[in-house]
Amino acid sequence: MANYLVTGAAGFIGSALARRLLDEGHQVASIDNLSTGFLDNLPAGTSFVEGDCADPAMYQKIPQHKYDAILHIAGQSSGEVSFDDPIYDIRTNAESTLLLLKFALTNGCRRFIFASTMSVYGVKPDIPIDEDQDCAPESFYGVAKLASEHYMRIYQQYGIDSTALRLFNVYGPGQNLKNLRQGMVSIFVAQMFEDAAIQVKGSADRYRDFIYIDDVVDAFVNSIDCRTAGSQVINVATGVRTSVGELLQVIVSKHDQAVEIGYSGSTSGDIHGIRAEVVKMREILGINNTLDLEQGITKMLDWVRAVHDRQA
Ligand SMILES: NC(=O)c1ccc[n+]([C@@H]2O[C@H](COP(=O)([O-])OP(=O)(O)OC[C@H]3O[C@@H](n4cnc5c(N)ncnc54)[C@H](O)[C@@H]3O)[C@@H](O)[C@H]2O)c1
């Protein structure tokens, strides 16, 4: 049994990860400021601290046993929101990481894993993008996440081995259906169930790489033990290019009502397209069989229907 600290455990990815670690018999302490997460998401059995990772005083409240790894998932996760308030974004996505790294050092924890993002890359050609590509983020969000990766690189000199997982578009059960500013799949699905209509910001020929939540949780769990000295950066994606139009087709084909689709405007900092090279994910994390989009969307829609039935 190991001791883990998971931040953002009341959110979509953090709650799924904390649940998996608890199911595997580990002890999990968790932190969340509930800015976009919900207490209901917290898995039973975690010792929870409500607090902000960017608040130095919060670190006094964390259970002070020695952690085998810190999994830093908390953060403001919307490129669009980062344009509303870049200072808030850098506090939550960069300052938080620095404070957690400092906490890791004083705690004696030598393993740090971070939820980074494809947004660090910026505008790229339509080819699989590997981790050695230059990074020139198009959003404040991407800048703060990239800063965090560099803080982790610098902290390796103090003996902290780190892995930044550059998550591409994550989707699946548990995604926040109320937050219409983050998560392409959840936004489309929420609109479809609410209004039988989807309003798309941007064109249908934009493309992304969509990865199912369980595969992302596998990536975090496997990275705990795939320890190499120093700091690593690994894409977490499927390697499959899917256009927004193709995604919409899959989603609406599985709905039991006709769905109207409209296009208008765009989102600040949105890039036309990106897809990942996933050789490192396969070789280092041992993740080879990611769920395909058709199956993943089916599971997600089944979950949304179950949530609606419970609320009816
Ligand atoms: N969902 C994706 O497609 C995706 C893609 C790339 C990267 N990420 C990253 O993964 C992480 C989790 O994303 P998610 O989709 O689960 O989002 P989410 O909003 O569901 O979860 C984030 C959680 O962090 C909490 N939080 C935010 N700022 C905090 C702070 N300063 N201190 C403490 N708690 C804080 C929120 O309340 C929330 O519970 C984020 O860091 C995000 O940037 C997500």
Side-chain angles (χ1 to χ4, degrees):
M1 187 185 71
N3 260 322
Y4 297 123
L5 179 62
V6 177
T7 71
F12 168 44
I13 298 171
S15 63
L17 173 60
R19 190 169 301 110
R20 172 81 70 83
L21 294 171
L22 286 160
D23 287 349
E24 289 182 358
H26 303 296
Q27 273 198 352
V28 178
S30 57
I31 307 169
D32 202 294
N33 67 2
L34 304 179
S35 54
T36 55
F38 304 96
L39 278 178
D40 282 353
N41 280 345
L42 281 174
T46 176
S47 39
F48 175 62
V49 175
E50 183 177 340
D52 196 311
C53 297
D55 171 13
M58 192 275 300
Y59 291 85
Q60 310 302 321
K61 299 187 203 154
I62 301 174
Q64 297 293 323
H65 37 238
K66 184 175 174 306
Y67 293 98
D68 295 293
I70 294 174
L71 299 116
H72 180 30
I73 317 297
Q76 183 301 103
S77 59
S78 159
E80 189 182 352
V81 168
S82 76
F83 280 86
D84 296 349
D85 190 349
I87 302 289
Y88 168 69
D89 188 80
I90 203 148
R91 285 203 69 225
T92 191
N93 282 328
E95 250 182 77
S96 292
T97 311
L98 258 183
L99 288 171
L100 267 162
L101 284 163
K102 192 172 155 211
F103 173 77
L105 206 56
T106 50
N107 180 265
C109 173
R110 293 288 177 264
R111 187 81 185 105
F112 194 92
I113 298 159
F114 176 59
S116 188
T117 170
M118 65 179 188
S119 301
V120 298
Y121 288 115
V123 175
K124 291 291 167 200
D126 189 357
I127 53 168
I129 299 303
D130 69 33
E131 294 85 349
D132 293 332
Q133 293 270 336
D134 288 342
C135 291
E138 290 285 298
S139 65
F140 294 102
Y141 167 67
V143 170
K145 289 284 190 179
L146 188 58
S148 282
E149 289 188 6
H150 286 293
Y151 297 147
M152 290 158 66
R153 183 178 52 75
I154 289 169
Y155 262 78
Q156 69 181 299
Q157 65 188 279
Y158 303 122
I160 296 184
D161 295 331
S162 62
T163 304
L165 298 180
R166 289 184 178 160
L167 311 181
F168 281 58
N169 281 64
V170 186
Y171 71 98
Q175 203 162 6
N176 187 342
L177 298 172
K178 302 258 185 298
N179 182 351
L180 296 185
R181 301 187 77 193
Q182 198 273 323
M184 192 182 283
V185 172
S186 55
I187 293 170
F188 292 166
V189 167
Q191 291 182 344
M192 178 172 82
F193 275 84
E194 201 58 40
D195 303 323
I198 298 175
Q199 198 56 41
V200 183
K201 287 191 200 169
S203 71
D205 64 345
R206 288 174 301 140
Y207 62 91
R208 294 289 186 272
D209 189 327
F210 296 96
I211 180 153
Y212 190 68
I213 180 67
D214 291 0
D215 296 322
V216 172
V217 171
D218 286 346
F220 277 101
V221 172
N222 291 3
S223 63
I224 296 172
D225 292 325
C226 289
R227 182 173 187 160
T228 49
S231 66
Q232 272 281 3
V233 174
I234 304 176
N235 286 340
V236 173
T238 60
V240 177
R241 180 194 195 282
T242 303
S243 72
V244 172
E246 287 164 339
L247 169 70
L248 284 162
Q249 237 170 27
V250 174
I251 292 175
V252 302
S253 71
K254 297 182 185 303
H255 198 49
D256 46 14
Q257 265 181 294
V259 181
E260 210 175 290
I261 298 176
Y263 294 87
S264 67
S266 60
T267 307
S268 308
D270 199 25
I271 50 167
H272 180 72
I274 188 151
R275 61 187 162 120
E277 170 66 68
V278 288
V279 171
K280 273 177 105 175
M281 181 183 87
R282 292 197 176 122
E283 288 180 355
I284 299 174
L285 302 181
I287 293 173
N288 293 296
N289 297 311
T290 49
L291 196 69
D292 77 47
L293 189 68
E294 286 268 349
Q295 288 173 303
I297 294 291
T298 302
K299 281 170 173 261
M300 177 154 184
L301 297 187
D302 285 348
W303 168 75
V304 179
R305 287 186 196 102
V307 170
H308 278 229
D309 288 351
R310 275 202 300 277
Q311 287 167 350

